[in-house]
């Protein structure tokens, strides 16, 4: 197995009677802070999923993470924002549904108990 020689920046390297100068490469990465709310989406997917809003939020969170890794920050932010909105809608609709179910059960249980006391 042939070994390759690497030179320090600014040093010359000779190959096939040609001289090459090693140049440093500087990569600037943009700020990749994209909020994908993956934990919030996972919670809504499993525990609070009215009208499949939790699934939609989870899907958009995954797409936001994928686009962030691909370097498409504007699209990742768009998916992240949509995931957050779907998560909030899922929590609100799920909470209202649970509250309505509790109220209906309490009313029906109260009417059953009151009918037993009349006999």
């Amino acid at each position: 197995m042939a070994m390759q020689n690497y030179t320090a920046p600014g040093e010359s390297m000779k190959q096939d009677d040609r001289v090459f100068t090693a140049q440093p490469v500087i990569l600037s990465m943009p700020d990749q802070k994209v909020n994908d709310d993956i934990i919030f989406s996972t919670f809504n997917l499993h525990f609070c999923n009215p009208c499949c809003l939790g699934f939609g939020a989870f899907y958009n969170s995954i797409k936001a993470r994928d686009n962030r890794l691909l370097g498409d920050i504007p699209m990742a932010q768009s998916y992240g924002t949509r995931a957050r909105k779907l998560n909030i809608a899922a929590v609100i609709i799920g909470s209202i549904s649970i509250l309505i179910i509790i109220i209906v059960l309490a009313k029906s249980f109260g009417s059953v108990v009151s009918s037993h006391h009349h006999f």
Side-chain angles (χ1 to χ4, degrees):
M1 180 171 180
M3 299 270 299
Q4 289 187 345
N5 294 328
Y6 296 100
T7 60
E11 289 184 16
S12 297
M13 183 173 73
K14 192 170 187 178
Q15 179 181 0
D16 298 331
D17 294 329
R18 294 184 293 201
V19 177
F20 298 97
T21 304
Q23 298 291 325
V25 177
I26 300 171
L27 298 175
S28 63
M29 296 297 288
D31 185 22
Q32 294 185 1
K33 193 159 197 142
V34 175
N35 194 1
D36 57 12
D37 290 324
I38 192 73
I39 303 296
F40 194 16
S41 298
T42 304
F43 171 80
N44 283 332
L45 177 66
H46 293 292
F47 300 111
C48 194
N49 196 12
C51 305
C52 292
L53 289 175
F55 178 73
F58 186 74
Y59 172 80
N60 282 290
S61 294
I62 297 297
K63 292 296 281 184
R65 185 165 284 191
D66 289 346
N67 280 312
R68 185 193 67 198
L69 292 176
L70 291 174
D72 190 1
I73 302 302
M75 199 64 174
Q77 289 172 339
S78 172
Y79 279 116
T81 302
R82 192 175 313 143
R84 163 125 341 152
K85 290 176 182 177
L86 289 171
N87 279 323
I88 291 170
V91 166
I92 290 172
I93 294 172
S95 299
I96 290 172
S97 300
I98 290 171
L99 188 62
I100 289 172
I101 289 171
I102 290 172
I103 291 171
V104 167
L105 288 176
K107 292 281 188 182
S108 64
F109 183 71
S111 66
V112 169
V113 170
S114 66
S115 68
H116 282 296
H117 288 296
H118 290 300
F119 291 116

